[in-house]
């Protein structure tokens, strides 16, 4: 299938690192990128993240990925492997030529007030990623909830793939935040790394409405979020009946 028909310069792509044999719980590992060039057997892409030297994503030779995007009103998927780094924020993916059409599934969302902790990365992508791995593993094994940190309750729009919430400036697209989300389900908080994919320029009480997409989250935690949203959306408050 000719790729030129489906890939154009500047097109937004999502890279998903495919699972490997590393020990530990399975987790989602994603990146946003933008197409620079689609050559014979390869895609050159630009990463939008502003990171300090030495804080780049830890790509490895031959690292397998699947790429998702939208083209001509359809979802598309292509697999490939990391080939080389072209510049600080540019890489080359050698693809397998296995382009397929996929159906985009919308992730249910719900509005809810829960405890959320939020920390900005300040350009330290690699350090943040390592800290997320440490936090996620520790939380997945935690049993004493009395030692869990407490966070202020806030109104958010939640799904298994991301969260909409109010964030204090400065803020820009591709900023990365570490989130700790307490669902109030008598289980440890969920730790995830989220990327700003949009934000409102309008400031309300010193904050901006912001949409974050999860880059790193345990698959088990993602399922917890999906189940939580389904439960919230299906809940009908009891009302007193008139006699």
């Amino acid at each position: 299938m000719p790729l030129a028909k489906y890939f154009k310069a500047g097109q937004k792509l999502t890279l998903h690192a495919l699972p490997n044999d590393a020990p530990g719980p399975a987790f989602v590992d994603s990146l946003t990128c933008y197409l620079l060039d689609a050559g014979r057997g390869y895609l050159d892409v630009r990463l939008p993240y502003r990171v300090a030297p030495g804080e780049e994503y830890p790509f490895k030779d031959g690292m397998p990925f699947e790429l998702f995007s939208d083209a001509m009103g359809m979802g598309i998927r292509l697999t490939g492997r990391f080939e080389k780094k072209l510049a600080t924020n540019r890489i080359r993916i050698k693809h397998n030529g296995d382009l397929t059409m996929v159906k985009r599934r919308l992730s249910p969302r719900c509005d809810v007030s829960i405890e959320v902790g939020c920390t900005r990365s300040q350009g330290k992508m690699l350090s943040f990623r390592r800290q997320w791995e440490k936090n996620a593993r520790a939380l997945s094994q935690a049993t004493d909830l009395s030692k869990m940190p407490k966070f202020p309750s806030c109104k958010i729009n939640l799904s298994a793939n991301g969260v909409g919430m109010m964030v204090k400036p400065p803020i820009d697209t591709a900023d990365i935040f570490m989130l700790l989300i307490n669902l109030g389900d008598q289980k440890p908080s969920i730790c995830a790394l989220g990327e700003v994919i949009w934000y409102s320029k309008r400031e309300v009480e010193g904050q901006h409405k912001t949409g974050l997409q999860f880059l790193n989250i345990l698959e088990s935690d993602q399922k917890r979020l999906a189940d939580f949203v389904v439960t919230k959306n299906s809940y009908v408050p009891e009302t007193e009946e008139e006699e």
Side-chain angles (χ1 to χ4, degrees), residues 28 105-109 158-163 212-215 217 222 225:
V28 173
R105 290 183 298 176
L106 296 177
S107 181
R109 313 185 68 89
L158 184 65
S159 81
N161 295 322
V163 58
L212 296 106
Q213 175 178 281
F214 295 142
L215 296 178
I217 184 171
Q222 194 171 49
L225 290 176

Side-chain angles (χ1 to χ4, degrees), residues 114-118 151-154 156 163 165 179-182:
I114 55 177
E115 293 182 11
V116 179
C118 183
F151 303 102
S153 179
C154 60
I156 65 172
V163 58
M165 59 187 294
L179 304 169
L180 283 164
I181 304 170
N182 182 358

